Amino acid sequence: MTVQGRAPGLQGDAVTDAVTRTIVEPERRTPVIGEPEVLVVGGGAAGIAAACAAARSGADTLLIERFGFLGGTLTAVSLGGFCGTHAIVDDSRLARVVGGLYLDLEDRLGVRSAISPPVRQGRILGVPYDSVCLKLVADEMLAAHGAATLLHTQVVGVQVERHRVVAVIVENKGGRSAICPRVVVDCSGDGDVAAFAGAEYSLGDNGRTQAGSTMFRLSGVDTTTASKLTRPQIRELLERAVGEGYPLPRTATGVHVNPIEGVVHLNVTRLARADGSTYDLTNPQDLTEAERVGRTQAFLYEEVFRRYIPGFERARIVDIGAMVGIRETRLVKGEEVLTEEAVRSCTKPQNRIACTSWPLETHQGGRGTTWEFLPDGEYYGIPYGCLVVSGLENVLVAGRNLSATHVAQASARVAGPCFAMGEAAGVAAAMAAGVDVRASDVPVDRLQWTLERHGAILTPAF
């Protein structure tokens, strides 16, 4: 489903299918509170990297975030493990495929004993971290690179003139105001700025998106025992629980043992309607229902893990993510599109600005998760054009709202490539703002040179 124009239900004079009554708001004059060279919207993995990279490049940079902390999925959702940062070379060797600012984050977490070495289960690889400490570390990174931050601030609209976003309208405790940047990097996850500005986008595959998950942390876990369990072993035990009457929607799990003793992050719930269809998590009603369903599922899994999974006998939920984990909503149309064929064939385009080896990881029907792995020692590249929004001269996207097909996004949406895309978008935004050119006219060779000079990996060493 391709949609063009304003996102329904999200601006003052818009109507939704369910609401036909409208009101007329009085004309208002909205104060301009900032005119940064680069505005980054959304403080998740991509947004942290974008803001740091833009500021490092010398641009006056402002990052706005709707929560009171940075990290996005990594903190607000309580994910617990970085994915897509390494490639499996063979049975015993790993290789980094994401460097640059992601390594800065790792180093800062390491100083605080808030990250663990990569954990491999079969061909699935994750890097456990402490999501609470990451909130502090993200603050430190933004400050160290000289990027300003405005928290508790939500984008509610934009103004566009001659294919350029000239103002981003925000609301917070100070009321309604405007920010007028030269370049915008949309790292909102849902592509809010691009959608409000009239960019074309698809909502998954004709409205069918990957299922979300409510993620949570358990304490009181015997982590020595828990860390020895394989994913197939846990799935077998959960299937036994299903056989004994527990209505578990998912038995393929992600278990991240936290660097803090006794704490484990669980990525195990599956959010879908009663008929099995996935929620549209840009729809406020669907999102509300998903939040309620997810909390119910979380406590169901707490009971099942205590009863069936070794090491979890005394486990209790100590935290549920502040929002559901969203894998896919809007995929913004860019100058180029990352395709499933490019991922499967490990395409390495000349204009790549990020790379990853993460498999095609699909969460939809049934209790399992579908994994389509790349060959060992392989990776693919994400072209710069996937960050350049078609039809808008000064808007870039980075993160899970990149220009990609539904299937390809299932690989590119995880933390590692999101960090790498964000860093590239931040550098490109600073370059575009500095010489007042369209985002599409940024010289990619110069962008790549700058990224590699700061440690980004565009050609992994296997």
Side-chain angles (χ1 to χ4, degrees):
M1 176 177 66
T2 298
V3 182
Q4 186 169 8
R6 295 177 301 179
L10 293 175
Q11 295 200 16
D13 62 346
V15 296
T16 67
D17 291 340
V19 180
T20 57
R21 179 174 177 266
T22 64
I23 64 170
V24 176
E25 294 189 69
E27 183 181 78
R28 67 175 103 198
R29 293 187 178 274
T30 303
V32 174
I33 61 169
E35 298 181 74
E37 292 178 295
V38 175
L39 173 66
V40 178
V41 176
I48 292 169
C52 289
R56 182 185 65 194
S57 298
D60 174 24
T61 303
L62 172 64
L63 181 152
I64 61 173
E65 165 58 42
R66 63 183 174 129
F67 288 113
F69 52 86
L70 302 176
T73 295
L74 302 175
T75 54
V77 175
S78 190
L79 181 60
F82 299 126
C83 299
T85 60
H86 293 72
I88 292 174
V89 180
D90 54 35
D91 288 343
S92 60
R93 291 184 298 152
L94 306 176
R96 287 192 180 275
V97 292
V98 178
L101 286 163
Y102 169 72
L103 297 184
D104 184 4
L105 183 78
E106 272 201 356
D107 289 344
R108 292 173 185 274
L109 289 169
V111 168
R112 297 180 177 277
S113 301
I115 191 169
S116 301
V119 175
R120 177 175 174 176
Q121 290 206 345
R123 300 182 69 190
I124 302 172
L125 183 75
V127 181
Y129 67 92
D130 176 28
S131 58
V132 176
C133 187
L134 196 152
K135 296 177 182 179
L136 174 63
V137 165
D139 288 340
E140 294 173 344
M141 284 185 66
L142 269 290
H145 287 91
T149 307
L150 189 61
L151 303 176
H152 294 292
T153 299
Q154 177 85 36
V155 172
V156 297
V158 301
Q159 286 190 358
V160 179
E161 294 179 5
R162 298 185 181 88
H163 306 292
R164 297 181 65 86
V165 170
V166 296
V168 174
I169 311 301
V170 301
E171 290 185 352
N172 55 27
K173 289 295 184 181
R176 185 179 179 94
S177 55
I179 300 169
C180 298
R182 292 189 189 173
V183 181
V184 181
V185 185
D186 185 347
C187 301
S188 64
D190 296 321
D192 288 342
V193 173
F196 292 166
E200 292 185 38
Y201 62 86
S202 61
L203 189 63
D205 179 16
N206 292 312
R208 183 174 63 101
T209 61
Q210 294 216 38
S213 292
T214 293
M215 302 180 194
F216 55 97
R217 287 185 295 153
L218 296 167
S219 68
V221 180
D222 177 352
T223 50
T224 301
T225 299
S227 62
K228 295 176 182 177
L229 297 170
T230 66
R231 287 181 180 232
Q233 287 172 333
I234 296 174
R235 183 168 189 183
E236 181 180 352
L237 293 168
L238 293 180
E239 286 290 342
R240 182 190 303 173
V242 171
E244 294 180 4
Y246 284 94
L248 302 180
R250 178 180 167 198
T251 54
T253 65
V255 178
H256 298 288
V257 177
N258 194 279
I260 299 175
E261 179 64 32
V263 175
V264 169
H265 294 253
L266 284 189
N267 175 354
V268 65
T269 66
R270 175 152 293 159
L271 305 177
R273 301 185 183 93
D275 64 2
S277 62
T278 54
Y279 293 109
D280 171 4
L281 296 176
T282 65
N283 178 291
Q285 288 75 33
D286 274 11
L287 185 56
T288 298
E289 182 179 348
E291 294 279 12
R292 290 197 299 259
V293 168
R295 281 188 284 272
T296 299
Q297 288 185 13
F299 282 95
L300 172 64
Y301 279 99
E302 179 196 63
E303 178 182 345
V304 169
F305 267 71
R306 285 168 61 93
R307 180 173 177 183
Y308 289 88
I309 312 299
F312 288 82
E313 294 84 358
R314 298 172 60 85
R316 296 300 300 268
I317 291 175
V318 291
D319 184 36
I320 297 176
M323 61 171 286
V324 298
I326 300 175
R327 294 185 173 90
E328 181 185 24
T329 52
R330 301 186 188 107
L331 303 176
V332 178
K333 182 182 178 182
E335 297 290 328
E336 296 181 69
V337 180
L338 180 69
T339 66
E340 55 265 41
E341 291 80 12
V343 175
R344 290 188 176 115
S345 62
C346 301
T347 301
K348 304 168 183 62
Q350 286 295 111
N351 66 338
R352 65 185 180 274
I353 44 74
C355 59
T356 186
S357 296
W358 192 250
L360 294 164
E361 176 196 352
T362 305
H363 295 255
Q364 282 175 334
R367 293 193 296 273
T369 300
T370 301
W371 300 89
E372 185 177 337
F373 295 94
L374 275 60
D376 286 354
E378 270 290 2
Y379 67 96
Y380 68 91
I382 299 173
Y384 175 63
C386 293
L387 310 186
V388 180
V389 178
S390 179
L392 294 173
E393 296 182 355
N394 67 333
V395 181
L396 293 154
V397 292
R400 63 175 172 84
N401 52 203
L402 83 158
S403 179
T405 64
H406 166 68
V407 175
Q409 192 261 7
S411 169
R413 62 176 172 77
V414 296
C418 285
F419 266 105
M421 283 187 276
E423 184 166 0
V427 174
M431 293 171 67
V435 294
D436 196 24
V437 300
R438 297 177 300 181
S440 58
D441 291 336
V442 167
V444 176
D445 56 349
R446 179 71 180 179
L447 170 61
Q448 292 170 322
W449 179 85
T450 303
L451 290 170
E452 291 187 311
R453 184 166 66 91
H454 288 286
I457 298 173
L458 301 182
T459 305
F462 292 145

